[in-house]
Amino acid sequence: MSYSTTVQELIDQLGRLPGIGPKSAQRVAFHLLKAPSEDALRLSRAIIDAKERVSFCSRCFNLSEGGDECAICLDSRRETRMVCVVEDSQDIVAIERTQEFRGRYHVLQGAFSPIDGVGVEQLRVKELMSRVADEDIEEIIVATNPNLEGEATAALLVKYLKPMGVRVSRIASGLPVGGDLEYADELTLGRALEGRTVLDTGNDSQP
Amino acid sequence: MKIRSLSLTDWRSYRSAEVSFGDGLTAVVGDNGQGKTNLIESIAWISGTGSFRGASDDALIRLGADAAVIRSTIEADDGREELVEVEIPRVGRNRILINRQRATRSSELLGVVQVTVFSPDDLELVKGGPSLRRGWIDAALAAHHPRNAALRGEVERVLKQRNALLRSVHGRLDADAEFTLDVWDSKLADAGERLRTARRAMLNEMTPILATAYDAVAQQVAMVECHYESSWSGPLANALLTSRELDIRRGITTVGPHRDEIHVTIAGAPARTHASQGEQRSLALALRLAADGVVRTVGVAEPVLLLDDVFSELDPNRAAALLDALPKGQRILTTAADLPSAARPDQVIRVHNSALTLESP
């Protein structure tokens, strides 16, 4: 049995969303068909509103609502000499939750991955370079994911930024705070050992 | 470690079956097509390495059923008892529980269940292409330390990315593509060098074990040697740069650990081309014994030995020699023919139409 064109179209559209396979698309479609009209309308309105009001910040490519620049770039209290580079806007939310970073951001909109057809042209690398050239930026903090693609992206940024005379740093990876050493997986623990910090150099002997 | 009990539901040909295993040698007997291999395949599966027959998960579920379930109690080397439960559904992700705790990756099973599988297909290790021998050494490395499995995974991932990049430039390299290729080259150079170093060290450790195992199975002193032939010399970073033009033209990476070869020689002659059928069979068994031996000597674990129908191909002398050469501990073998006369099983399980009955040995 096949569905009517309208229902099939709904299933097809839902199936194009990330993380939703044909079965889930079917389930969501039937849920929507059974739901009260106002629920379905509210969802469709939310999608339309978001698409109309939300755009990408012209400076950092974070999500920006109702304006050219995003709220963080417009915030005059933020440190403008430090820029944290992330893969996606969601990463900004995670870093903002820490309340440890008061600088600005730059969203690459992805990570370097030839398999997925993502190269330098698809990432906002050139835009980052013009920011470094135009703005008074002292340090770029690369906060891409600690996986292969994220590391490759970090290495790529270093290559592009090298001639520009800006300090480039990488966020550390290691053990979760409040965790137990014995429960850490080998790779994380290995990385934590590699990135250890000196507590005492042992060289400052008293006279 | 030891497999204490095993229960199967809708696994392969089994609707429902339960069996417990003793300490020593267990013989699984029965005619062809009754479910002997299916039984030990389930044990191999819960060691986290997938099907040794290369089957997809879908093929593991009994026809008409929605999910296959394996449940097994394991006795670790230190005497602790562990419970492994696996559900392989037709739709959705596999569920793996270790001591009722959800495991996120199937590789977590590696830490609980270790097996060494001997199968007639092992002959391909000797006669087949180099990728099988690379797989053989990489599996030994992974059993040695999970870090090696991660390293191998990293090399594969970098290669996929680099090859995708090479194909996307269509034979022509602009400045941006050159920059990005530099990045993947340095990743590959780093991981590739580390993998080669690890493989060479592992091969050095395994070669004497392999030679001894071969002599034991073949019942002669034959001088088996291994030689690791790398696809590059000097730093890999330089080799990648040298082959860059060729790589771009062909759209693949032509040097690296994925192009290395392991040569095995018997008395100086390449086993792949010069050894007799019998010698090749003995060598195949010895390769498995060596991989098993190295896991034992580094003291990670005592694997359970699973021998799938290997005796049908061996003459009685070699069969007896193999049984003799097997490390003690839990051994489970299947056979359609009569047991080799040298085998003194502690337990006999008869398989008929995917039903299991214990017989007195």
Side-chain angles (χ1 to χ4, degrees):
Chain A
M1 186 199 107
S2 58
Y3 301 113
S4 73
T5 331
T6 328
V7 176
Q8 191 59 50
E9 169 70 6
L10 178 60
I11 294 173
D12 289 348
Q13 290 305 323
L14 289 168
R16 289 171 63 182
L17 300 174
I20 298 196
K23 290 238 165 158
S24 307
Q26 247 180 54
R27 197 172 330 135
V28 176
F30 280 96
H31 172 83
L32 289 172
L33 291 172
K34 273 188 277 176
S37 310
E38 56 264 39
D39 283 9
L41 280 176
R42 209 175 300 133
L43 174 65
S44 59
R45 216 175 300 124
I47 296 174
I48 293 167
D49 285 356
K51 282 308 284 181
E52 273 176 359
R53 286 198 214 135
V54 179
S55 59
F56 292 111
C57 170
S58 61
R59 186 192 298 273
C60 75
F61 300 94
N62 183 17
L63 296 178
S64 140
E65 197 161 334
D68 183 33
E69 288 196 3
C70 71
I72 293 175
C73 285
L74 289 172
D75 187 344
S76 58
R77 292 164 301 174
R78 305 233 19 153
E79 172 68 68
T80 57
R81 283 168 301 183
M82 291 237 271
V83 170
C84 180
V85 180
V86 294
E87 290 180 16
D88 292 300
S89 300
Q90 297 99 294
D91 301 331
I92 294 187
V93 179
I95 294 176
E96 282 297 289
R97 267 202 304 265
T98 67
Q99 304 195 354
E100 294 286 342
F101 181 71
R102 297 299 301 158
R104 283 176 170 171
Y105 292 93
H106 188 83
V107 183
L108 291 173
Q109 297 187 330
F112 180 29
S113 174
I115 296 177
D116 307 309
V118 181
V120 183
E121 311 80 57
Q122 282 74 35
L123 300 175
R124 302 290 181 176
V125 175
K126 297 281 150 74
E127 289 84 350
L128 177 64
M129 290 169 73
S130 20
R131 280 184 73 182
V132 173
D134 300 341
E135 296 173 28
D136 188 19
I137 295 171
E138 281 173 8
E139 180 172 354
I140 298 286
I141 302 170
V142 182
T144 50
N145 289 330
N147 54 23
L148 180 65
E149 288 73 20
E151 297 296 352
T153 309
L156 190 70
L157 288 179
V158 170
K159 274 185 153 297
Y160 275 97
L161 295 172
K162 183 140 230 130
M164 309 195 73
V166 64
R167 189 178 134 113
V168 182
S169 57
R170 178 90 176 99
I171 52 163
S173 50
L175 298 166
V177 175
D180 255 341
L181 270 196
E182 56 170 325
Y183 295 127
D185 72 277
E186 297 85 356
L187 295 177
T188 306
L189 195 48
R191 283 281 284 277
L193 279 170
E194 240 176 80
R196 64 191 180 273
T197 50
V198 176
L199 295 179
D200 183 0
T201 58
N203 288 334
D204 50 5
S205 51
Q206 298 290 316
Chain B
M1 40 77 53
K2 293 184 179 74
I3 305 285
R4 279 295 166 232
S5 73
L6 179 72
S7 117
L8 303 175
T9 310
D10 293 329
W11 167 267
R12 289 275 197 186
S13 55
Y14 289 87
R15 185 179 293 272
S16 168
E18 241 185 278
V19 68
S20 51
F21 292 97
D23 273 353
L25 181 65
T26 297
V28 180
V29 300
D31 293 337
N32 283 323
Q34 300 301 313
K36 299 186 300 293
T37 302
N38 292 348
L39 179 68
I40 62 170
E41 186 186 27
S42 71
I43 302 173
W45 204 95
I46 57 168
S47 75
T49 50
S51 157
F52 65 77
R53 291 197 269 183
S56 66
D57 284 358
D58 209 43
L60 306 175
I61 308 164
R62 195 175 60 86
L63 274 176
D66 293 329
V69 177
I70 309 171
R71 195 170 279 124
S72 178
T73 45
I74 316 291
E75 187 187 322
D77 289 334
D78 59 8
R80 268 178 309 119
E81 195 157 276
E82 304 198 87
L83 176 67
V84 171
E85 293 161 293
V86 171
E87 186 191 19
I88 305 166
R90 223 175 266 287
V91 183
R93 298 184 50 171
N94 295 347
R95 259 163 57 89
I96 298 167
L97 298 174
I98 300 171
N99 296 325
R100 309 241 180 239
Q101 296 286 311
R102 184 83 182 254
T104 48
R105 286 169 297 178
S106 64
S107 61
E108 284 182 45
L109 286 167
L110 282 170
V112 183
V113 185
Q114 298 86 26
V115 301
T116 300
V117 180
F118 297 74
S119 104
D121 297 343
D122 292 345
L123 193 56
E124 282 300 300
L125 274 182
V126 181
K127 295 172 73 165
S131 67
L132 295 163
R133 284 177 293 281
R134 288 193 297 267
W136 166 74
I137 195 108
D138 288 345
L141 280 168
H144 190 183
H145 200 289
R147 142 170 42 90
N148 293 320
L151 178 57
R152 156 94 187 234
E154 190 181 331
V155 168
E156 279 171 6
R157 185 109 189 116
V158 176
L159 275 171
K160 261 193 207 156
Q161 291 282 21
R162 187 177 191 268
N163 290 343
L165 181 63
L166 288 170
R167 280 192 301 274
S168 73
V169 302
H170 300 297
R172 211 193 288 270
L173 204 61
D174 60 17
D176 274 341
E178 198 169 340
F179 251 40
T180 54
L181 194 54
D182 284 349
V183 168
W184 292 112
D185 280 13
S186 76
K187 296 264 167 225
L188 181 57
D190 172 57
E193 297 266 10
R194 280 187 290 139
L195 183 60
R196 185 177 68 172
T197 307
R199 280 176 178 172
R200 280 189 166 146
M202 178 53 81
L203 198 61
N204 280 339
E205 257 188 84
M206 276 165 88
T207 303
I209 309 177
L210 175 67
T212 313
Y214 182 84
D215 291 353
V217 177
Q219 295 173 284
Q220 60 181 84
V221 179
M223 261 261 294
V224 171
E225 288 171 308
C226 296
H227 164 63
Y228 191 91
E229 186 196 10
S230 184
S231 56
W232 77 93
S233 54
L236 180 52
N238 294 355
L240 284 167
L241 214 52
T242 312
S243 69
R244 182 174 277 194
E245 205 183 316
L246 176 71
D247 287 5
I248 291 168
R249 209 166 49 231
R250 298 183 48 188
I252 49 160
T253 303
T254 55
V255 292
H258 62 298
R259 287 292 181 105
D260 291 357
E261 164 69 298
I262 295 162
H263 295 285
V264 186
T265 56
I266 302 175
R272 187 179 177 185
T273 48
H274 286 61
S276 72
Q277 280 280 340
E279 286 172 325
Q280 290 183 333
R281 280 194 205 293
S282 300
L283 185 59
L285 292 167
L287 285 166
R288 287 289 176 223
L289 280 168
D292 178 75
V294 84
V295 176
R296 282 170 207 266
T297 46
V298 294
V300 219
E302 267 198 13
V304 172
L305 302 180
L306 304 173
L307 300 101
D308 185 31
D309 199 26
V310 290
F311 294 98
S312 58
E313 314 277 359
L314 296 177
D315 61 56
N317 277 339
R318 288 199 191 207
L322 171 62
L323 279 164
D324 223 33
L326 291 179
K328 300 303 164 223
Q330 202 175 33
R331 290 146 290 160
I332 303 169
L333 64 86
T334 71
T335 179
D338 290 332
L339 275 174
S341 52
R344 309 244 179 284
D346 303 289
Q347 181 185 12
V348 175
I349 300 169
R350 179 161 295 277
V351 186
H352 182 72
N353 204 5
S354 298
L356 309 174
T357 40
L358 280 180
E359 283 182 4
S360 51

